[in-house]
């Protein structure tokens, strides 16, 4: 009996640490994923993107939903959440097909890193917009503005600079009324502090 008690006392700390380690691992994994879309959080995306871009020549994308505030104001935040989840799922699937990954930066703004060509740009735009999303009170067609920074737009530039270039391109797409826009060497549609300086009065297409 003393031997059994000694063994139990010896193994108890190890078991406790194992349980604690499993709990911490689950907490860390949860912290890396956005609970609504299942995509990487801003921090997790940034860490992974910096690591990947040091090894591979890939494009950096930034996109958001046009008229998203109107969706929340008209149909409620639950409807907005369904729309965000659907866009996140479609973006994740597209990235998986193009050797990349995506993250939700916050609100209705998403970022992605992928290996892509001209056809892939059109494919992504169609993927995000083609299938309506039933949010209960209405069926919404996601409308997005997309900015793309290819490797040759900012050769050897760090992630922050590429995201900024994609942000400017996204604002250009929003301003010009196009679905997507490529980054350029010169800023033609500047954003303020890395954000769009303003938003035209666009609305998400919808049908009841």
């Amino acid at each position: 009996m003393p031997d059994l008690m000694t063994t139990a006392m010896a193994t108890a700390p190890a078991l406790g640490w194992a349980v604690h380690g499993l709990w911490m691992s689950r907490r860390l994994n949860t912290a890396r994923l956005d609970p609504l879309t299942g995509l990487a959080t801003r921090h997790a995306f940034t860490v992974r993107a910096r690591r990947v871009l040091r090894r591979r020549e890939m494009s950096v994308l930034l996109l958001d939903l046009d008229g998203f505030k109107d969706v929340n104001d008209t149909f409620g935040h639950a409807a907005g959440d369904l729309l965000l989840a659907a866009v996140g799922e479609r973006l994740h699937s597209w990235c998986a097909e193009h050797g990349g990954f995506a993250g939700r930066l916050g609100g209705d703004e998403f970022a992605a890193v992928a290996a892509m060509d001209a056809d892939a740009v059109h494919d992504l735009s169609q993927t995000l917009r083609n299938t309506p999303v039933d949010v209960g009170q209405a069926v919404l067609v996601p409308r997005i503005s997309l900015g793309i920074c290819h490797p040759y737009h900012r050769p050897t530039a760090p992630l922050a600079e590429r995201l900024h270039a994609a942000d400017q391109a996204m604002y250009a797409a929003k301003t010009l009324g196009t679905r997507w826009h490529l980054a350029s060497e010169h800023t033609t549609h500047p954003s303020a502090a890395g954000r769009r300086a303003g938003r035209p009065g666009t609305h998400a297409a919808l049908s009841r």
Side-chain angles (χ1 to χ4, degrees):
M1 182 65 70
D3 290 341
L4 290 176
M5 292 182 63
T6 301
T7 301
M9 292 176 64
T11 57
L15 179 61
W17 278 111
V19 172
H20 179 72
L22 180 61
W23 177 80
M24 286 295 295
S25 176
R26 290 178 176 174
R27 286 289 301 273
L28 288 171
N29 187 58
T30 301
R32 294 189 186 104
L33 298 179
D34 171 55
L36 179 61
T37 63
L39 299 178
T41 60
R42 174 187 288 269
H43 176 71
F45 172 83
T46 300
V47 171
R48 184 178 180 186
R50 284 173 176 165
R51 183 172 64 248
V52 169
L53 291 175
R54 283 196 293 265
R55 303 195 309 265
R56 299 180 59 190
E57 292 292 323
M58 303 182 77
S59 298
V60 174
L61 301 84
L62 203 65
L63 66 95
D64 72 5
L65 277 65
D66 295 334
F68 183 68
K69 183 178 184 301
D70 294 337
V71 173
N72 281 336
D73 292 346
T74 304
F75 304 108
H77 289 276
D81 287 350
L82 289 173
L83 190 63
L84 289 173
V87 169
E89 181 180 359
R90 295 172 190 180
L91 181 60
H92 171 75
S93 297
W94 179 88
C95 285
E97 294 175 0
H98 292 82
F101 55 93
R104 182 185 177 201
L105 302 187
D108 63 325
E109 190 170 64
F110 299 83
V113 169
M116 57 189 300
D117 53 23
D119 291 335
V121 177
H122 178 73
D123 180 49
L124 174 58
S125 178
Q126 294 298 104
T127 297
L128 294 176
R129 296 170 57 101
N130 268 2
T131 306
V133 180
D134 187 349
V135 298
Q137 307 101 309
V139 177
L140 307 181
V141 178
R143 296 181 61 180
I144 60 101
S145 292
L146 171 66
I148 304 154
C149 180
H150 287 312
Y152 55 82
H153 291 140
R154 296 291 188 279
T156 70
L159 174 65
E161 185 176 334
R162 298 188 193 196
L163 281 172
H164 185 62
D167 184 63
Q168 292 171 339
M170 182 175 69
Y171 182 58
K174 198 177 293 289
T175 301
L176 299 172
T178 59
R179 295 182 180 181
W180 53 270
H181 197 81
L182 297 178
S184 63
E185 295 181 4
H186 304 288
T187 300
T188 55
H189 296 269
S191 57
R195 304 289 302 177
R196 272 78 61 219
R199 296 193 178 196
T202 53
H203 299 278
L206 55 91
S207 60
R208 293 181 183 276

